[in-house]
Amino acid sequence: MTRLTGRALRLTVYIGEDDIWHHRPLYTEIVHRAHAAGLAGASVFRGIEGFGASSRIHTSRLLSLSEDLPVAVVVVDTEERVRAFLPQLDELVTEGLVTLDDCEVIRYAGRTNDQDGTDKTDAKGKKSL
């Protein structure tokens, strides 16, 4: 598991829900590439309303406009790792907004099942008592 505390960089990619990369949702491609690049994590958030460079408002409130809702893909990792990932975004994101923000990681921990912080699972994924 990647250790991450202290200063970090937050990468946010704002795209449309209907954006596609090779017959697959663009947000899915970004998450899978971030995972393959060894980044600490990525999350996708679906917006309920928004607009971008096209100035067209997308909203979930009106059925006729509920297509292509805004999506934000957020990645947090060290500045070095995030910046190394940016060339992949240049290839993927042709429409949208990509931002970088300095941030501070207070806690980054996976799920554990024991007081000592270790995950007690066997090779088949069954949890031991």
Side-chain angles (χ1 to χ4, degrees), residues 51-67:
F51 71 94
S54 69
S55 291
R56 181 173 175 236
I57 293 179
H58 302 270
T59 180
S60 61
R61 290 183 293 132
L62 302 172
L63 258 158
S64 62
L65 298 176
S66 66
E67 303 167 355

Side-chain angles (χ1 to χ4, degrees), residues 4 8-11 39-42 74-78 82 103 105 108:
L4 184 63
L9 202 58
R10 179 178 48 234
L11 164 69
L39 293 171
V74 180
V75 175
V76 176
D77 207 322
T78 64
V82 169
C103 64
V105 175
Y108 175 69

Side-chain angles (χ1 to χ4, degrees), residues 12-15 43-47 70-74:
T12 308
V13 182
Y14 300 93
I15 54 177
S43 297
V44 178
F45 300 94
R46 183 178 188 223
V71 172
V73 182
V74 180

Side-chain angles (χ1 to χ4, degrees), residues 27-105:
Y27 58 85
T28 298
E29 184 67 21
I30 293 169
V31 168
H32 284 262
R33 286 197 186 195
H35 184 261
L39 293 171
S43 297
V44 178
F45 300 94
R46 183 178 188 223
I48 58 171
E49 190 165 9
F51 71 94
S54 69
S55 291
R56 181 173 175 236
I57 293 179
H58 302 270
T59 180
S60 61
R61 290 183 293 132
L62 302 172
L63 258 158
S64 62
L65 298 176
S66 66
E67 303 167 355
D68 201 26
L69 291 171
V71 172
V73 182
V74 180
V75 175
V76 176
D77 207 322
T78 64
E79 181 173 0
E80 180 182 341
R81 287 184 183 191
V82 169
R83 290 196 183 277
F85 185 66
L86 291 178
Q88 291 197 56
L89 290 180
D90 285 340
E91 175 189 358
L92 295 171
V93 180
T94 58
E95 296 177 356
L97 175 66
V98 178
T99 64
L100 293 173
D101 301 292
D102 290 323
C103 64
E104 182 178 359
V105 175

